[in-house]
Amino acid sequence: MTQYMKVARVDDIQPGEKLRVEVDGAEVVVVNLDGTFYAIADVCTHDGGPLGEGALQGCALICPRHGARFDVRTGEALTRPAFEAAPTYAVKVLDGDVLVEAY
Ligand code: FES
């Protein structure tokens, strides 16, 4: 059964914003896209850049190191120099809490 961990309150992450959290030892970025929450690894698949420090443009999170873009909904690498998708995590909202899947 999938385990979830509370990482924030819904109000802590406004639409268009992101928050870096730790889930069971993994660095994760939680993003609010127009009221829907997504979680993606805080590690760029190109060279380990901190995705959580990058800008969010629509559904794309931009690595601050070399500019690769990742779709936060799927983890897909949208532009070079990254080719590999970043891991994503299931998110659910329960009673105003944001919960992220823990492995
Ligand atoms: S480390 Fe992210 S684009 Fe290079």
Side-chain angles (χ1 to χ4, degrees), residues 68-85:
R69 301 164 77 94
F70 292 87
D71 189 324
V72 298
R73 301 167 301 179
T74 61
E76 182 187 356
L78 301 171
T79 58
R80 295 175 181 208
F83 294 98
E84 244 182 78

Side-chain angles (χ1 to χ4, degrees), residues 3-8 22-25 92 98-102:
Q3 301 282 326
Y4 285 84
M5 214 174 111
K6 176 187 170 184
V7 296
E22 190 178 310
V23 180
D24 215 13
K92 63 183 181 182
V98 180
L99 309 173
V100 174
E101 174 185 17

Side-chain angles (χ1 to χ4, degrees), residues 44-49 51 63-68 70 81-82:
C44 179
T45 57
H46 172 237
D47 195 26
L51 291 181
C63 180
R65 205 171 277 176
H66 309 110
F70 292 87

